[in-house]
Amino acid sequence: MSVTGAGTGAAQEHGRTGAPAPGPAGGGSGHPDGPLAGLRVVELAGIGPGPFAAMLLADLGADVVRVDRPGGGGLAVDPAYDTTNRGKRSVMVDLKADGGAALVLDLAERADVLIEGLRPGVAERLGVGPDACLARNPRLVYGRMTGWGQDGPLAPTAGHDIAYIAVTGALGMIGKPGEPPAVPGNLLGDYAGGSLYLVIGILAALRHAAAPGGTGQVVDAAIVDGTAHLTAMVHGMMAAGGWQDRRGANLLDGGCPFYGTYETSDGGYMAVGALEQQFYDTFTTLLGLADRAPARKDAARWGELRQAVAAAFKSRTRQEWTEVFDGTDACVAPVLSLREAPHHPHLAARGTFTEVGGIVQPAPAPRFSATPAAVRGGPAQPGADTVSVAADWGVPGLAGKGGA
């Protein structure tokens, strides 16, 4: 698989010679069918949102080269199962050793994007900070992924998703009244507020860099900024008096009886989102509570309505209720586990999940009519592609670092 098309112009602008042809090792990224075919990305190895952002770029066709460190690092996950490294290639470089930084700078000179998720100032100390990289490649987009951002009193301190979403007010919105906030995995902060905002920033900066007279720049993607940004609508509703600043008291946080989850007779759950009147009418009719329908407009009766809805759902199994609501506009769906989700008829029909190398995982998203994205291989193994990347990217010094 070769990199063609969009990459050729970028290669010439960055002083590269011709369009490289990355081999299949590590996932064969750079497939010509993706919308980002020809884009070259260097990822300094990290955990969480940085790797996920780079995975998304790889899904979309970019040639992503991950720079792994000797001995590994981060969470103890077998690299063979780390799907956030799918479709990438890996080289092994010790940034603390003599010549390590120079090799990364050689890669940065030939890249369109560099992604790093180190604490503020660490990349600079290692010799691969924005100033050093942009001096070699003025059109480079240098993406920085952190929790607190590059400045501010907490910038140099450690943290994880839960702390970042806590201070933005997002965590405080989730859960039942009178109970501790519910922990939403690390999807809200790391990936929604972090990875996706980093990718948006990178794509916007690439457009600027490609414009006449455009230059590269630094993208400072902080999880606290992205997560706060996600609450924009709620802040507007709160200012208008349509949202109470407490859990379980609002239309979209489980405060109303027709937007929430209910247990079934077999211990499963159904999710209800019958907000609009016509959907609510269908919901109450199919649930056998048409006589309770008027309670929708009377908040004083919501407690009574909630009890009736809960009792109704407890009368049948999750599968039975799924069949009742299937194909209707009641806005009701079964709550599935991660293992169950790929088998849902709608998701299966769309191919929302895929299996690569024996690992069931989400397929790339979104979808493109002319340049389809794809999972282009399994997780990159640390250092496995050092020699092939050295040849494809024209960095012969990498070849002495081992790999295949």
Side-chain angles (χ1 to χ4, degrees):
M1 295 180 284
S2 62
V3 176
T4 57
T8 305
Q12 294 171 343
E13 291 169 353
H14 292 168
R16 303 198 294 260
T17 56
S29 51
H31 192 286
D33 290 344
L36 295 183
L39 190 75
R40 283 178 161 180
V41 179
V42 175
E43 175 200 351
L44 302 188
I47 61 173
F52 187 87
M55 179 206 78
L56 178 52
L57 297 176
D59 284 353
L60 300 183
D63 181 10
V64 178
V65 171
R66 177 178 166 96
V67 179
D68 279 294
R69 68 194 73 175
L75 301 179
V77 177
D78 185 338
Y81 293 94
D82 188 352
T83 55
T84 63
N85 286 327
R86 70 188 189 189
K88 305 176 184 178
R89 296 191 288 171
S90 171
V91 300
M92 191 74 71
V93 176
D94 185 353
L95 278 167
K96 296 182 179 180
D98 290 343
L103 290 173
V104 171
L105 291 176
D106 286 344
L107 290 170
E109 182 178 345
R110 294 156 174 79
D112 301 289
V113 178
L114 184 145
I115 292 174
E116 63 95 354
L118 304 169
R119 290 201 203 193
V122 173
E124 286 85 347
R125 291 198 297 273
L126 292 172
V128 294
D131 290 345
C133 289
L134 287 165
R136 294 282 292 271
N137 182 356
R139 290 204 173 186
L140 181 71
V141 173
Y142 194 104
R144 315 197 82 167
M145 183 74 260
T146 60
W148 303 114
Q150 295 299 312
D151 54 40
L154 293 178
T157 65
H160 276 296
D161 176 291
I162 193 168
Y164 307 137
I165 68 174
V167 300
T168 66
L171 180 61
M173 294 169 51
I174 305 170
K176 296 180 179 180
E179 296 183 7
V183 181
N186 70 328
L187 303 181
L188 176 56
D190 278 354
Y191 298 137
S195 303
L196 298 187
Y197 277 87
L198 175 60
V199 170
I200 291 170
I202 285 172
L203 297 179
L206 283 169
R207 179 176 173 83
H208 171 74
T215 61
Q217 61 183 303
V218 177
V219 177
D220 175 5
I223 294 173
V224 290
D225 296 345
T227 305
H229 195 258
L230 290 169
T231 66
M233 183 189 76
V234 177
H235 277 277
M237 294 175 68
M238 192 163 57
W243 188 278
Q244 299 182 59
D245 194 15
R246 55 191 178 92
R247 285 189 297 285
N250 301 285
L251 195 64
L252 301 176
D253 64 358
C256 77
F258 41 92
Y259 196 91
T261 57
Y262 291 92
E263 188 175 6
T264 56
S265 64
D266 58 345
Y269 288 87
M270 298 295 290
V272 177
L275 293 176
E276 293 83 358
Q277 184 68 56
Q278 67 271 32
F279 305 148
Y280 176 82
D281 290 341
T282 301
F283 163 62
T284 53
T285 297
L286 292 175
L287 196 64
L289 296 177
D291 60 323
R292 304 287 186 117
R296 175 182 182 274
K297 297 181 179 180
D298 184 359
R301 296 181 60 192
W302 277 7
E304 163 200 329
L305 179 59
R306 187 186 305 280
Q307 291 180 358
V309 171
F313 272 117
K314 284 285 283 186
S315 69
R316 300 189 190 183
T317 66
R318 188 186 72 179
Q319 181 57 36
E320 288 173 329
W321 282 120
T322 298
E323 293 171 0
V324 167
F325 290 106
D326 186 44
T328 74
D329 281 347
C331 300
V332 177
V335 178
L336 303 182
S337 71
L338 290 173
R339 293 190 186 278
E340 292 175 317
H343 304 290
H344 186 276
H346 181 78
L347 304 187
R350 281 183 59 81
T352 299
F353 290 85
T354 187
E355 182 173 344
V356 179
I359 303 174
V360 175
Q361 56 197 278
R367 304 184 184 200
F368 300 83
S369 61
T371 55
V375 178
R376 310 184 194 285
Q381 299 302 294
D385 311 293
T386 304
V387 172
S388 65
V389 171
D392 295 339
W393 283 46
V395 184
L398 279 173
K401 298 299 180 180

Short mmCIF file of all heavy atoms in Angstrom, two decimals, residues 80-125:
data_model
loop_
_atom_site.label_atom_id
_atom_site.label_comp_id
_atom_site.label_asym_id
_atom_site.label_seq_id
_atom_site.Cartn_x
_atom_site.Cartn_y
_atom_site.Cartn_z
N ALA A 80 -0.26 -6.06 22.12
CA ALA A 80 -1.01 -6.79 21.10
C ALA A 80 -2.51 -6.54 21.20
O ALA A 80 -3.25 -6.80 20.25
CB ALA A 80 -0.73 -8.29 21.23
N TYR A 81 -2.98 -6.04 22.36
CA TYR A 81 -4.41 -5.80 22.56
C TYR A 81 -4.74 -4.31 22.65
O TYR A 81 -5.90 -3.96 22.86
CB TYR A 81 -4.88 -6.50 23.84
CG TYR A 81 -4.83 -8.00 23.74
CD1 TYR A 81 -3.71 -8.70 24.18
CD2 TYR A 81 -5.88 -8.72 23.19
CE1 TYR A 81 -3.65 -10.08 24.09
CE2 TYR A 81 -5.84 -10.10 23.09
CZ TYR A 81 -4.71 -10.78 23.54
OH TYR A 81 -4.66 -12.14 23.44
N ASP A 82 -3.75 -3.46 22.49
CA ASP A 82 -3.99 -2.02 22.61
C ASP A 82 -4.53 -1.49 21.29
O ASP A 82 -3.77 -1.03 20.42
CB ASP A 82 -2.71 -1.30 23.01
CG ASP A 82 -2.97 0.17 23.35
OD1 ASP A 82 -4.10 0.64 23.13
OD2 ASP A 82 -2.03 0.82 23.84
N THR A 83 -5.85 -1.54 21.14
CA THR A 83 -6.45 -1.16 19.86
C THR A 83 -6.30 0.33 19.55
O THR A 83 -6.50 0.73 18.40
CB THR A 83 -7.94 -1.54 19.83
OG1 THR A 83 -8.60 -0.96 20.96
CG2 THR A 83 -8.11 -3.05 19.87
N THR A 84 -5.93 1.14 20.52
CA THR A 84 -5.70 2.56 20.21
C THR A 84 -4.43 2.73 19.38
O THR A 84 -4.16 3.83 18.90
CB THR A 84 -5.61 3.43 21.47
OG1 THR A 84 -4.49 3.03 22.26
CG2 THR A 84 -6.88 3.34 22.29
N ASN A 85 -3.67 1.66 19.20
CA ASN A 85 -2.48 1.70 18.35
C ASN A 85 -2.70 0.97 17.03
O ASN A 85 -1.74 0.68 16.31
CB ASN A 85 -1.27 1.12 19.07
CG ASN A 85 -0.73 2.06 20.13
OD1 ASN A 85 -0.79 3.27 19.97
ND2 ASN A 85 -0.23 1.51 21.22
N ARG A 86 -3.95 0.71 16.70
CA ARG A 86 -4.22 0.00 15.44
C ARG A 86 -3.88 0.89 14.24
O ARG A 86 -3.99 2.11 14.30
CB ARG A 86 -5.69 -0.41 15.39
CG ARG A 86 -6.67 0.73 15.21
CD ARG A 86 -8.09 0.25 15.36
NE ARG A 86 -9.08 1.26 15.01
CZ ARG A 86 -10.39 1.15 15.20
NH1 ARG A 86 -10.87 0.05 15.79
NH2 ARG A 86 -11.22 2.10 14.83
N GLY A 87 -3.45 0.23 13.18
CA GLY A 87 -3.18 0.95 11.95
C GLY A 87 -1.98 1.86 11.96
O GLY A 87 -1.75 2.61 11.03
N LYS A 88 -1.19 1.81 13.02
CA LYS A 88 0.01 2.65 13.11
C LYS A 88 1.25 1.81 12.83
O LYS A 88 1.19 0.59 12.70
CB LYS A 88 0.14 3.26 14.51
CG LYS A 88 -1.07 4.05 14.99
CD LYS A 88 -0.86 4.51 16.43
CE LYS A 88 -2.08 5.22 16.98
NZ LYS A 88 -1.89 5.63 18.40
N ARG A 89 2.38 2.48 12.75
CA ARG A 89 3.68 1.80 12.76
C ARG A 89 4.49 2.33 13.93
O ARG A 89 4.25 3.45 14.39
CB ARG A 89 4.42 2.03 11.44
CG ARG A 89 3.68 1.42 10.25
CD ARG A 89 4.53 1.42 8.99
NE ARG A 89 4.70 2.75 8.44
CZ ARG A 89 5.55 3.03 7.44
NH1 ARG A 89 6.33 2.07 6.94
NH2 ARG A 89 5.64 4.26 6.95
N SER A 90 5.40 1.52 14.42
CA SER A 90 6.16 1.91 15.61
C SER A 90 7.66 1.85 15.37
O SER A 90 8.17 0.92 14.75
CB SER A 90 5.80 0.99 16.79
OG SER A 90 6.68 1.21 17.89
N VAL A 91 8.34 2.88 15.88
CA VAL A 91 9.80 2.89 15.93
C VAL A 91 10.21 3.04 17.39
O VAL A 91 9.46 3.57 18.20
CB VAL A 91 10.39 4.03 15.07
CG1 VAL A 91 9.98 3.89 13.62
CG2 VAL A 91 10.00 5.40 15.61
N MET A 92 11.38 2.55 17.70
CA MET A 92 11.88 2.63 19.06
C MET A 92 13.01 3.66 19.13
O MET A 92 14.04 3.51 18.46
CB MET A 92 12.40 1.26 19.51
CG MET A 92 12.70 1.18 21.00
SD MET A 92 11.21 1.09 22.01
CE MET A 92 10.63 -0.57 21.62
N VAL A 93 12.79 4.70 19.93
CA VAL A 93 13.81 5.74 20.08
C VAL A 93 13.90 6.11 21.55
O VAL A 93 12.88 6.38 22.20
CB VAL A 93 13.46 7.00 19.26
CG1 VAL A 93 14.48 8.10 19.52
CG2 VAL A 93 13.39 6.68 17.77
N ASP A 94 15.11 6.15 22.06
CA ASP A 94 15.35 6.60 23.43
C ASP A 94 15.66 8.09 23.39
O ASP A 94 16.76 8.50 23.03
CB ASP A 94 16.51 5.82 24.06
CG ASP A 94 16.71 6.15 25.53
OD1 ASP A 94 16.04 7.09 26.03
OD2 ASP A 94 17.54 5.50 26.18
N LEU A 95 14.68 8.91 23.77
CA LEU A 95 14.86 10.35 23.69
C LEU A 95 15.88 10.87 24.70
O LEU A 95 16.35 12.01 24.58
CB LEU A 95 13.52 11.05 23.90
CG LEU A 95 12.63 11.13 22.66
CD1 LEU A 95 11.21 11.56 23.02
CD2 LEU A 95 13.23 12.11 21.66
N LYS A 96 16.21 10.06 25.69
CA LYS A 96 17.18 10.49 26.69
C LYS A 96 18.61 10.11 26.30
O LYS A 96 19.56 10.52 26.98
CB LYS A 96 16.83 9.90 28.05
CG LYS A 96 15.49 10.40 28.60
CD LYS A 96 15.20 9.83 29.97
CE LYS A 96 13.88 10.37 30.52
NZ LYS A 96 13.56 9.83 31.86
N ALA A 97 18.75 9.33 25.24
CA ALA A 97 20.07 8.92 24.79
C ALA A 97 20.62 9.89 23.75
O ALA A 97 19.86 10.64 23.12
CB ALA A 97 20.01 7.51 24.20
N ASP A 98 21.91 9.89 23.58
CA ASP A 98 22.54 10.74 22.57
C ASP A 98 21.96 10.42 21.20
O ASP A 98 21.88 9.25 20.80
CB ASP A 98 24.06 10.53 22.56
CG ASP A 98 24.74 11.07 23.81
OD1 ASP A 98 24.10 11.89 24.51
OD2 ASP A 98 25.89 10.68 24.08
N GLY A 99 21.56 11.44 20.50
CA GLY A 99 21.04 11.26 19.15
C GLY A 99 19.57 10.95 19.08
O GLY A 99 18.98 10.95 17.99
N GLY A 100 18.92 10.67 20.21
CA GLY A 100 17.51 10.33 20.20
C GLY A 100 16.64 11.47 19.72
O GLY A 100 15.78 11.31 18.86
N ALA A 101 16.88 12.64 20.29
CA ALA A 101 16.09 13.81 19.89
C ALA A 101 16.30 14.15 18.43
O ALA A 101 15.36 14.54 17.72
CB ALA A 101 16.45 15.01 20.77
N ALA A 102 17.52 13.98 17.95
CA ALA A 102 17.82 14.29 16.55
C ALA A 102 17.01 13.41 15.60
O ALA A 102 16.55 13.88 14.54
CB ALA A 102 19.31 14.12 16.28
N LEU A 103 16.83 12.15 15.96
CA LEU A 103 16.04 11.26 15.12
C LEU A 103 14.58 11.69 15.08
O LEU A 103 13.94 11.67 14.02
CB LEU A 103 16.14 9.82 15.64
CG LEU A 103 17.49 9.14 15.46
CD1 LEU A 103 17.50 7.78 16.16
CD2 LEU A 103 17.80 8.97 13.97
N VAL A 104 14.03 12.12 16.22
CA VAL A 104 12.64 12.59 16.24
C VAL A 104 12.52 13.87 15.43
O VAL A 104 11.53 14.07 14.70
CB VAL A 104 12.17 12.80 17.69
CG1 VAL A 104 10.81 13.51 17.72
CG2 VAL A 104 12.06 11.45 18.39
N LEU A 105 13.51 14.74 15.51
CA LEU A 105 13.48 15.96 14.71
C LEU A 105 13.56 15.64 13.22
O LEU A 105 12.92 16.32 12.40
CB LEU A 105 14.62 16.89 15.11
CG LEU A 105 14.51 17.52 16.50
CD1 LEU A 105 15.77 18.34 16.82
CD2 LEU A 105 13.27 18.39 16.62
N ASP A 106 14.31 14.60 12.86
CA ASP A 106 14.33 14.17 11.46
C ASP A 106 12.95 13.72 11.01
O ASP A 106 12.53 14.01 9.88
CB ASP A 106 15.34 13.03 11.28
CG ASP A 106 16.79 13.49 11.32
OD1 ASP A 106 17.03 14.72 11.17
OD2 ASP A 106 17.68 12.64 11.50
N LEU A 107 12.25 13.00 11.87
CA LEU A 107 10.89 12.58 11.55
C LEU A 107 9.96 13.79 11.46
O LEU A 107 9.13 13.89 10.54
CB LEU A 107 10.37 11.59 12.59
CG LEU A 107 11.01 10.20 12.60
CD1 LEU A 107 10.55 9.43 13.85
CD2 LEU A 107 10.64 9.43 11.35
N ALA A 108 10.09 14.70 12.41
CA ALA A 108 9.24 15.89 12.42
C ALA A 108 9.44 16.73 11.16
O ALA A 108 8.49 17.34 10.65
CB ALA A 108 9.52 16.73 13.66
N GLU A 109 10.66 16.76 10.66
CA GLU A 109 10.95 17.52 9.44
C GLU A 109 10.17 16.98 8.25
O GLU A 109 9.81 17.73 7.34
CB GLU A 109 12.44 17.49 9.15
CG GLU A 109 12.85 18.29 7.93
CD GLU A 109 14.36 18.26 7.70
OE1 GLU A 109 15.09 17.87 8.63
OE2 GLU A 109 14.79 18.64 6.60
N ARG A 110 9.86 15.69 8.27
CA ARG A 110 9.18 15.03 7.17
C ARG A 110 7.69 14.83 7.43
O ARG A 110 6.99 14.23 6.62
CB ARG A 110 9.85 13.69 6.90
CG ARG A 110 11.29 13.82 6.41
CD ARG A 110 12.12 12.58 6.71
NE ARG A 110 13.45 12.66 6.11
CZ ARG A 110 14.46 13.35 6.62
NH1 ARG A 110 14.30 14.05 7.74
NH2 ARG A 110 15.63 13.38 6.01
N ALA A 111 7.22 15.29 8.57
CA ALA A 111 5.84 15.04 8.98
C ALA A 111 4.96 16.26 8.72
O ALA A 111 5.44 17.38 8.48
CB ALA A 111 5.80 14.68 10.46
N ASP A 112 3.67 16.03 8.78
CA ASP A 112 2.68 17.11 8.75
C ASP A 112 2.20 17.45 10.16
O ASP A 112 1.80 18.57 10.44
CB ASP A 112 1.47 16.70 7.91
CG ASP A 112 1.86 16.36 6.49
OD1 ASP A 112 2.21 17.29 5.74
OD2 ASP A 112 1.84 15.16 6.13
N VAL A 113 2.22 16.43 11.03
CA VAL A 113 1.67 16.57 12.38
C VAL A 113 2.58 15.85 13.36
O VAL A 113 3.12 14.78 13.06
CB VAL A 113 0.25 15.96 12.47
CG1 VAL A 113 -0.30 16.05 13.89
CG2 VAL A 113 -0.70 16.62 11.48
N LEU A 114 2.74 16.42 14.54
CA LEU A 114 3.37 15.71 15.66
C LEU A 114 2.43 15.81 16.85
O LEU A 114 1.89 16.89 17.14
CB LEU A 114 4.73 16.30 16.00
CG LEU A 114 5.51 15.56 17.11
CD1 LEU A 114 7.02 15.58 16.82
CD2 LEU A 114 5.24 16.16 18.49
N ILE A 115 2.24 14.68 17.53
CA ILE A 115 1.37 14.64 18.71
C ILE A 115 2.19 14.21 19.92
O ILE A 115 2.92 13.22 19.86
CB ILE A 115 0.21 13.63 18.50
CG1 ILE A 115 -0.75 14.13 17.42
CG2 ILE A 115 -0.55 13.38 19.80
CD1 ILE A 115 -1.83 13.13 17.06
N GLU A 116 2.07 14.97 20.99
CA GLU A 116 2.73 14.57 22.25
C GLU A 116 1.79 14.84 23.42
O GLU A 116 1.00 15.78 23.38
CB GLU A 116 4.07 15.29 22.42
CG GLU A 116 3.99 16.80 22.53
CD GLU A 116 3.97 17.31 23.97
OE1 GLU A 116 3.90 16.49 24.90
OE2 GLU A 116 4.01 18.54 24.14
N GLY A 117 1.90 14.01 24.45
CA GLY A 117 1.04 14.14 25.62
C GLY A 117 1.84 14.19 26.90
O GLY A 117 1.38 13.70 27.95
N LEU A 118 3.02 14.78 26.84
CA LEU A 118 3.88 14.89 28.01
C LEU A 118 3.47 16.08 28.88
O LEU A 118 2.72 16.95 28.45
CB LEU A 118 5.33 15.07 27.56
CG LEU A 118 5.87 13.97 26.63
CD1 LEU A 118 7.21 14.39 26.04
CD2 LEU A 118 5.99 12.65 27.37
N ARG A 119 3.96 16.10 30.10
CA ARG A 119 3.69 17.27 30.94
C ARG A 119 4.33 18.50 30.32
O ARG A 119 5.36 18.41 29.64
CB ARG A 119 4.26 17.06 32.35
CG ARG A 119 3.54 16.02 33.17
CD ARG A 119 3.82 16.24 34.66
NE ARG A 119 3.61 15.02 35.43
CZ ARG A 119 3.55 14.98 36.75
NH1 ARG A 119 3.68 16.09 37.45
NH2 ARG A 119 3.36 13.83 37.39
N PRO A 120 3.75 19.68 30.55
CA PRO A 120 4.32 20.90 29.99
C PRO A 120 5.80 21.05 30.32
O PRO A 120 6.21 20.86 31.46
CB PRO A 120 3.49 22.01 30.63
CG PRO A 120 2.17 21.37 30.88
CD PRO A 120 2.49 19.95 31.28
N GLY A 121 6.59 21.33 29.31
CA GLY A 121 8.02 21.54 29.49
C GLY A 121 8.87 20.31 29.27
O GLY A 121 10.08 20.43 29.02
N VAL A 122 8.29 19.11 29.33
CA VAL A 122 9.09 17.90 29.18
C VAL A 122 9.62 17.75 27.77
O VAL A 122 10.79 17.42 27.55
CB VAL A 122 8.28 16.66 29.60
CG1 VAL A 122 9.06 15.38 29.29
CG2 VAL A 122 7.95 16.72 31.09
N ALA A 123 8.77 17.96 26.76
CA ALA A 123 9.23 17.85 25.38
C ALA A 123 10.36 18.83 25.11
O ALA A 123 11.33 18.51 24.40
CB ALA A 123 8.06 18.09 24.42
N GLU A 124 10.26 20.03 25.66
CA GLU A 124 11.32 21.02 25.49
C GLU A 124 12.63 20.51 26.10
O GLU A 124 13.70 20.64 25.49
CB GLU A 124 10.92 22.35 26.13
CG GLU A 124 9.87 23.14 25.34
CD GLU A 124 8.44 22.71 25.64
OE1 GLU A 124 8.24 21.64 26.27
OE2 GLU A 124 7.51 23.42 25.24
N ARG A 125 12.53 19.95 27.30
CA ARG A 125 13.75 19.45 27.96
C ARG A 125 14.37 18.29 27.19
O ARG A 125 15.59 18.12 27.20
CB ARG A 125 13.44 19.03 29.39
CG ARG A 125 13.11 20.19 30.31
CD ARG A 125 13.24 19.80 31.78
NE ARG A 125 12.30 18.77 32.17
CZ ARG A 125 11.06 19.01 32.60
NH1 ARG A 125 10.61 20.26 32.66
NH2 ARG A 125 10.26 18.02 32.96
#
